[in-house]
Amino acid sequence: MRSSGVRTARVGFASVFFLCLSIPGSSQTFDGSITINGASVIRPSIPSALFGANIEWVHSSWGAWNPSTNSLSPSALTLVQRLSPPVLRFPGGIFSDFYNWRNGVGPLSSRPVSLITTGPDSSRNTFGTDEAIRLANSLGSRLMITVNVGTSTPEEAAAWVRYVNARGAVVRDWELGNELYIRTLSADASRITISPEVYAQKVIAFARAMRAADSRIRIGAIGGDETGVLPLVQYPGWNQIVLQQAGSSIDFLSVHNAYAPVMFYDNGESLETVYRAMLAYSGDVKSSLSRIVSQVNQFAPADARSRIQIVVSEWGPLFHTSPLSRFVDHAKTQTSALLTASLLMTFLEEPRVEAAQYFKLFDNSFAGLLGLRNGLWQETAPFYALQLFRRNFGSRLIASTVQNPVYRSESAGIITARDGNSLLQSVASLNSNGTILYIITANKSLSSAANVAFQINNLKPSSTATLRALRATAIDANTGTQHPFQGSIPWAAQATASTNSRFLQGAPGEVAIVTSSVTVINNSFRLTIPAASLVALEIPLTR
């Protein structure tokens, strides 16, 4: 494996500091510029809830929760504390609409084994409401609970609200159902799907019953973008009908429009083609969010338009769900970490997006911020990307303008061919008292380093800054988390990069955050950012 490190240099106008972490063979370069305007505030308060994650009840949250000790596995706890997700969405995605919350409370010995969805998989609910509250409290996180609208009743939802309050927990955000707008993707979805008219009436009934139990809670309805490249919403006019009929009953609209590249349609594309298409997807998500915001403003009742926010309650890199796919295990690579960063930047720049929960926190298979390696929980590459934003970013978003070459991406999976994709994406922020500037920049080129000229306006950088680089040994490098199916069911040979592939050499250290200090002497400097990497700058400011 290549040695890692950062060569630092005194930085002034037209001078450069270099990251000695470039992927082997990526000797090409391109020029770009990023201008930061400290006087232009885009979001005066960045919601910490943008950096949340999903947790699921099944199989003791996929083995992360130890029922014997009533706590997280020690290896998981150490990593989750480092990430400290501010919001945890519970008890699932689709599992939520089959979930009986009463099966997950009381003594463990008396909790039944129950079907997870329609069968045949079943689980004892050893990670129920009490355990989710315990985990959230230990991390200083908030719970967002997804209520079973598919197979339960308003009365049961209201009883859940009362139970949570009786436990002394503070759960303000309650989401009504999960993807009930899907009709055909699975037998489970087909069983519980309902029309937007029926769903709107359920929203009104559930909201009325739940607010009678606690008037302080916030209610979210589910929605989506029918015209985007990820057409999960399979009923025409879903958003319009739900907003018009039930908009006065809700506080947020929960959407799942940020999964990519979803390779359910595999036409034999190269890994590089798929990765380039995936990295272009943030442009589609930006357009999708804009359409959804417009629908809220157009269709919600006047008393609700300014109140209803957007929550992206599931999002992240997703290639496939079947072990027979040659891409299924690629959600954990360095390029998937770049997608994670790119989508976070997109959420940050849409003021109506108030929260987002990565799907998902724990997974002992192909997805998740944390996976298993030799029986211990291990970070995946997207974990590092989320960590950079969670720990090395400010609370006020300020304007940043990027100029750079663009590229054309070919179609792959759900993603259509797209022109004008930026090779650089960047966001900037200030801390609460304006003493630190944070800049996070992604180089989406898979083969070329970026020579970036930074210009900082209306701020005064001090002499020393901290640089954190998420680097890897290859575009398909990963930390080596293992799937649980080895030797029991077929697992497809995974796609690999055409040159310098490290996918099969996955191990801790193949992907890492490397930290260094650099010297900045004025408002203009240059930085060389290696191909397929993410860089975070923390620059103290003087008055």
Side-chain angles (χ1 to χ4, degrees), residues 425-508:
Q425 192 173 357
S426 188
V427 287
S429 65
L430 297 171
N431 66 344
S432 58
N433 59 10
T435 59
I436 301 176
L437 168 66
Y438 299 91
I439 307 171
I440 297 183
T441 303
N443 178 3
K444 297 182 180 182
S445 172
L446 302 181
S447 58
S448 298
N451 295 322
V452 184
F454 284 84
Q455 176 67 42
I456 300 174
N457 295 331
N458 301 303
L459 297 170
K460 296 181 179 180
S462 62
S463 60
T464 303
T466 300
L467 183 149
R468 296 175 179 88
L470 176 57
R471 41 69 74 200
T473 55
I475 61 173
D476 59 359
N478 59 85
T479 61
T481 56
Q482 301 158 327
H483 58 78
F485 310 125
Q486 293 168 333
S488 58
I489 63 174
W491 189 266
Q494 294 298 286
T496 57
S498 59
T499 59
N500 184 45
S501 173
R502 298 289 297 177
F503 185 85
L504 299 178
Q505 286 72 44

Side-chain angles (χ1 to χ4, degrees), residues 393-418:
F393 206 59
S395 58
R396 286 186 288 158
L397 191 71
I398 59 175
S400 57
T401 303
V402 177
Q403 293 184 334
N404 65 170
V406 296
Y407 72 98
R408 174 179 172 81
S409 58
E410 302 302 321
S411 62
I414 64 166
I415 304 172
T416 56
R418 182 182 174 94

Side-chain angles (χ1 to χ4, degrees), residues 2-8 18-22 471 528 530:
R2 290 172 62 85
S3 62
S4 63
V6 176
R7 183 167 75 241
T8 64
F18 300 91
L19 297 178
C20 302
L21 305 167
S22 57
R471 41 69 74 200
T528 299

Side-chain angles (χ1 to χ4, degrees), residues 204-525:
I204 294 169
F206 273 76
R208 182 185 301 118
M210 294 167 68
R211 286 202 170 102
D214 185 348
S215 61
R216 301 166 297 175
I217 64 175
R218 301 173 73 248
I219 298 290
I222 58 174
D225 182 10
E226 301 166 33
T227 62
V229 296
L230 183 59
L232 292 178
V233 179
Q234 297 180 323
Y235 291 89
W238 179 282
N239 283 0
Q240 178 177 349
I241 293 167
V242 172
L243 288 167
Q244 286 176 336
Q245 296 185 14
S248 294
S249 297
I250 66 173
D251 301 287
F252 60 91
L253 192 67
S254 181
V255 302
H256 296 171
N257 65 335
Y259 281 123
V262 193
M263 292 296 296
F264 293 165
Y265 314 103
D266 184 352
N267 296 314
E269 298 93 343
S270 70
L271 180 66
E272 288 80 1
T273 296
V274 173
Y275 275 8
R276 281 192 290 267
M278 179 176 70
L279 293 178
Y281 187 61
S282 60
D284 291 310
V285 173
K286 180 178 180 179
S287 299
S288 174
L289 290 172
S290 179
R291 284 191 294 270
I292 293 169
V293 169
S294 295
Q295 288 177 328
V296 171
N297 293 334
Q298 180 180 358
F299 298 125
D303 66 323
R305 288 172 191 164
S306 62
R307 182 183 71 246
I308 296 174
Q309 302 294 300
I310 307 300
V311 173
V312 187
S313 58
E314 291 184 18
W315 68 278
L318 173 65
F319 288 78
H320 212 290
T321 58
S322 170
L324 299 179
S325 166
R326 65 190 178 106
F327 287 103
V328 64
D329 214 20
H330 277 265
K332 63 187 182 183
T333 67
Q334 170 73 358
T335 307
S336 287
L338 291 180
L339 174 68
T340 300
S342 178
L343 291 175
L344 280 172
M345 294 182 198
T346 304
F347 302 156
L348 280 163
E349 291 178 333
E350 173 46 66
R352 292 289 281 272
V353 176
E354 67 169 7
Q357 292 90 37
Y358 187 97
F359 195 84
K360 49 195 168 174
L361 183 55
F362 308 112
D363 190 71
N364 60 6
S365 182
F366 57 85
L369 293 167
L370 297 177
L372 286 172
R373 178 178 173 83
N374 299 327
L376 298 176
W377 291 93
Q378 165 79 50
E379 312 98 313
T380 60
F383 176 98
Y384 291 123
L386 192 59
Q387 178 184 311
L388 279 178
F389 282 88
R390 182 71 179 121
R391 301 183 66 181
N392 307 112
F393 206 59
S395 58
R396 286 186 288 158
L397 191 71
I398 59 175
S400 57
T401 303
V402 177
Q403 293 184 334
N404 65 170
V406 296
Y407 72 98
R408 174 179 172 81
S409 58
E410 302 302 321
S411 62
I414 64 166
I415 304 172
T416 56
R418 182 182 174 94
D419 289 311
N421 303 301
S422 178
L423 288 172
L424 293 175
Q425 192 173 357
S426 188
V427 287
S429 65
L430 297 171
N431 66 344
S432 58
N433 59 10
T435 59
I436 301 176
L437 168 66
Y438 299 91
I439 307 171
I440 297 183
T441 303
N443 178 3
K444 297 182 180 182
S445 172
L446 302 181
S447 58
S448 298
N451 295 322
V452 184
F454 284 84
Q455 176 67 42
I456 300 174
N457 295 331
N458 301 303
L459 297 170
K460 296 181 179 180
S462 62
S463 60
T464 303
T466 300
L467 183 149
R468 296 175 179 88
L470 176 57
R471 41 69 74 200
T473 55
I475 61 173
D476 59 359
N478 59 85
T479 61
T481 56
Q482 301 158 327
H483 58 78
F485 310 125
Q486 293 168 333
S488 58
I489 63 174
W491 189 266
Q494 294 298 286
T496 57
S498 59
T499 59
N500 184 45
S501 173
R502 298 289 297 177
F503 185 85
L504 299 178
Q505 286 72 44
E510 289 282 308
V511 181
I513 295 176
V514 179
T515 302
S516 179
S517 61
V518 297
T519 300
V520 178
I521 59 174
N522 59 30
N523 292 69
S524 301
F525 60 90

